[in-house]
Amino acid sequence: EVQLVESGGGLVQPGGSLRLSCAASGFAFSSYAMVWVRQAPEKGLEWVSALTHSGASTTYADSVKGRCTISRDNSKNTLYLQMNSLRAEDTAVYYCAKAAGPGFSGYQYYMGVWGKGTTVSVSS
Amino acid sequence: EIVMTQSPATLSVSPGERATLSCRASQSVSSTLAWYQQKPGQAPRLLIYDASTRATGIPARFSGSGSGTEFSLTISSLQSEDFAVYYCQQYITWPLTFGGGTKVEIK
């Protein structure tokens, strides 16, 4: 069964840091680009970051650029999102998702598999 | 940034009826458009990609159409499990952007 399981969310004070993880199973993780998408309470979906199958190429939404770092360890089938200088507006459920291909082409960034999400709350 | 606008925000439909949801892009995205369904407390589920291709396991009552800037998702005969929020997403360029969603509710 193809599965993505996020972890690492929690309550953090403004200015704090968190590292989210996403454990993948049931597919050839190293062959696919991966994506983080977030959803603030009662709001819509917002793309956060993406990286290619090897991790060599990364992209970020302007809202997190310079504060977040996406990475992956293909030997551990795990995706990460390091989040620093957290703000109240970063409060959201964070989903990891599998892209349709390795990510060489931008036309592969629709997401066919999603995790259940991990909740990040930024508050003092 | 390509802005995706969905309409209506809420659609009230009776079970068995047809529902048509719209998604408009602020500039052409060709056919690089996906539709997702999200139920309360759940992750999104991919329904349609490349504007009109059903994802694996998606029932035939879901169909997508359009290209360029105008797209639609049609549910031919609404089932109880179809009442949810639907999002469109473009993937022709960065940043990836989603529409604000259409909530399909029971009339």
Side-chain angles (χ1 to χ4, degrees):
Chain A
E1 179 192 6
V2 176
Q3 196 171 13
L4 297 170
V5 180
E6 302 93 336
S7 61
L11 176 63
V12 62
Q13 292 188 339
S17 298
L18 279 176
R19 188 197 200 200
L20 307 184
S21 298
C22 171
S25 59
F27 66 99
F29 179 73
S30 62
S31 297
Y32 290 90
M34 296 294 293
V35 178
W36 286 100
V37 174
R38 69 184 180 183
Q39 187 169 35
E42 305 306 316
K43 299 294 185 182
L45 301 171
E46 179 189 15
W47 168 73
V48 174
S49 183
L51 81 172
T52 54
H53 72 109
S54 65
S57 181
T58 60
T59 58
Y60 299 92
D62 285 347
S63 57
V64 304
K65 197 174 295 182
R67 301 187 299 119
C68 291
T69 303
I70 190 172
S71 62
R72 65 192 298 161
D73 185 336
N74 286 341
S75 68
K76 295 182 178 178
N77 288 349
T78 302
L79 174 73
Y80 303 100
L81 184 69
Q82 176 68 44
M83 308 173 66
N84 300 325
S85 302
L86 282 162
R87 307 165 179 167
E89 53 265 37
D90 295 317
T91 294
V93 175
Y94 284 73
Y95 296 102
C96 72
K98 170 183 167 286
F104 299 131
S105 162
Y107 301 168
Q108 297 173 344
Y109 285 93
Y110 56 90
M111 287 70 78
V113 180
W114 296 65
K116 294 184 189 292
T118 187
T119 300
V120 172
S121 297
V122 184
S123 175
S124 55
Chain B
E1 169 177 325
I2 297 178
V3 177
M4 308 301 293
T5 303
Q6 292 186 241
S7 62
T10 303
L11 188 60
S12 298
V13 187
S14 299
E17 289 188 342
R18 180 188 188 92
T20 301
L21 290 63
S22 295
C23 175
R24 173 176 292 176
S26 61
Q27 62 190 79
S28 178
V29 300
S30 186
S31 295
T32 58
L33 185 106
W35 289 93
Y36 301 88
Q37 176 194 67
Q38 187 178 35
K39 297 179 181 178
Q42 296 185 18
R45 176 175 72 143
L46 177 68
L47 299 175
I48 301 285
Y49 63 93
D50 291 348
S52 61
T53 303
R54 273 191 304 276
T56 302
I58 301 303
R61 65 180 181 273
F62 290 92
S63 63
S65 63
S67 66
T69 63
E70 300 284 343
F71 301 88
S72 62
L73 174 71
T74 299
I75 312 170
S76 60
S77 176
L78 271 156
Q79 306 299 301
S80 57
E81 62 266 30
D82 300 336
F83 292 96
V85 179
Y86 293 82
Y87 294 96
C88 60
Q89 176 230 333
Q90 66 79 20
Y91 48 94
I92 197 170
T93 191
W94 305 105
L96 305 180
T97 48
F98 292 88
T102 291
K103 181 180 181 180
V104 178
E105 64 176 24
I106 300 174
K107 186 174 182 180

